[in-house]
Amino acid sequence: MKIIIISGLKRSGSTLCFNIVRSILKSNGRSFSQEFCKDVKDFTEVLDASNSSDIFVCKTHDFKVVEFAKSRCNDTLNITTYRNLDEIAASGIAKFNWSNENALINLDMIVNNWAYAKKRNLLGELVSYKSLNADIKKTIDKIAKYLNIDISNQEISNIVRIIENQKDNMSNVNKLTLLKRRFFFLLNFIAFKFPILKTSLNIKIKNKLKYFLTSGNPDTLLHSNHITGSNPNNLEFDLREEIHRKYNAWQQRNFK
């Protein structure tokens, strides 16, 4: 089995990169399974359920998943998406309503996780959020080359159309209803009280149900308000100045 991991920073275009990889594989006629894995435990569960697939495509924000995958499978590739930290903060505030304090806490975690990955050579192929938006065709070609897949200009154009259609369809996804939220919380409560139910449910059924209940798409991993269109100029002045003070030199050293 080949494993392809999109190990992106939070709010850095990792879902877009994930869907580019999926589209490249489909255009090449490759069969694959896919999943978002929060941590190594998730990854282990899903990998065990995906052994019949030639390729397993995983999206994660945890570089320990990359480390574990490489220890399990020699044929593991990973692509890391990244983005300027003030933009990540603005996106997190727009999407999750982070407080200024929480924004800085999340950025500290990102910086620490990046250092962990860099020290252990887990970053893989780097793809910037800027490149995903500025020249998506060139970025698709770059990703295809990294995956060692030949792709024509026409196929690249087709993938661009697929990505644009995904964005359009995502805008029509409804927000979570109160009923769905209550049902989701009820299932979590039951699983907490009766762990055997949680472990005995088929992993694919669990995740299909999860995405249905969260108004998300189990194939694209897109969900309500996924793309924030955030602007760092919208950050409060003091927060933006603090981000620049703490992280500008670090970004210049680490983000190319």
Side-chain angles (χ1 to χ4, degrees):
M1 173 188 282
K2 175 191 280 293
I3 298 175
I4 303 171
I5 303 179
I6 293 80
S7 49
L9 304 184
K10 292 181 179 179
R11 315 308 300 161
S12 68
S14 57
T15 305
L16 173 55
C17 187
F18 171 81
N19 283 304
I20 288 173
V21 169
R22 292 176 62 249
S23 298
I24 290 171
L25 293 174
K26 284 184 176 181
S27 73
N28 202 247
R30 307 288 182 92
S31 63
F32 61 93
S33 57
Q34 62 173 66
E35 194 54 70
F36 169 76
C37 296
K38 181 179 69 175
D39 51 29
V40 171
K41 181 180 177 182
D42 272 2
F43 179 80
T44 304
E45 277 189 349
V46 177
L47 188 65
D48 290 343
S50 304
N51 283 331
S52 60
S53 301
D54 295 331
I55 302 172
F56 175 46
V57 182
C58 169
K59 179 193 162 188
T60 188
H61 300 300
D62 185 352
F63 286 108
K64 290 182 180 179
V65 171
V66 180
E67 188 171 36
F68 180 79
K70 289 188 172 184
S71 73
R72 285 279 300 269
C73 177
N74 290 331
D75 197 3
T76 297
L77 298 173
N78 74 292
I79 302 168
T80 297
T81 58
Y82 66 96
R83 185 181 188 181
N84 287 345
L85 298 183
D86 55 353
E87 294 178 5
I88 288 178
S91 181
I93 289 170
K95 169 65 179 173
F96 301 111
N97 198 29
W98 287 346
S99 66
N100 290 352
E101 181 182 6
N102 281 340
L104 291 171
I105 289 171
N106 275 280
L107 295 186
D108 281 340
M109 290 173 59
I110 286 170
V111 167
N112 290 336
N113 288 337
W114 185 277
Y116 180 93
K118 188 174 182 179
K119 182 177 181 180
R120 290 162 174 78
N121 196 29
L122 302 174
L123 291 176
E125 183 75 4
L126 294 176
V127 174
S128 70
Y129 180 87
K130 182 178 180 180
S131 70
L132 284 166
N133 286 273
D135 195 341
I136 192 169
K137 287 186 176 181
K138 183 177 179 180
T139 305
I140 292 169
D141 185 56
K142 172 184 176 178
I143 292 171
K145 283 183 170 64
Y146 177 66
L147 299 177
N148 198 27
I149 293 176
D150 292 327
I151 191 168
S152 68
N153 289 333
Q154 182 58 54
E155 287 171 324
I156 291 175
S157 296
N158 290 341
I159 290 172
V160 172
R161 282 195 292 272
I162 289 169
I163 296 300
E164 291 302 319
N165 287 336
Q166 288 173 353
K167 290 180 181 178
D168 292 340
N169 291 336
M170 186 213 64
S171 67
N172 296 323
V173 175
N174 293 326
K175 293 183 179 180
L176 292 175
T177 63
L178 182 61
L179 179 61
K180 281 187 177 182
R181 283 182 184 270
R182 287 177 174 171
F183 189 33
F184 190 49
F185 292 150
L186 176 62
L187 289 179
N188 277 339
F189 175 77
I190 293 172
F192 174 76
K193 289 291 187 181
F194 304 100
I196 191 171
L197 296 178
K198 184 176 181 180
T199 56
S200 62
L201 285 172
N202 180 278
I203 186 68
K204 291 184 179 180
I205 295 175
K206 286 195 295 184
N207 284 295
K208 293 287 185 182
L209 183 61
K210 177 183 71 175
Y211 285 115
F212 168 74
L213 292 171
T214 55
S215 297
N217 186 308
D219 296 320
T220 65
L221 302 186
L222 291 166
H223 49 77
S224 178
N225 299 328
H226 199 119
I227 299 175
T228 59
S230 54
N231 185 336
N233 291 323
N234 294 333
L235 294 173
E236 292 181 11
F237 177 79
D238 288 346
L239 174 60
R240 193 171 187 192
E241 286 297 299
E242 180 66 4
I243 291 171
H244 287 182
R245 183 191 69 78
K246 289 186 68 175
Y247 305 118
N248 264 11
W250 182 89
Q251 288 190 130
Q252 290 172 10
R253 292 193 304 270
N254 288 274
F255 294 173
K256 307 300 182 183

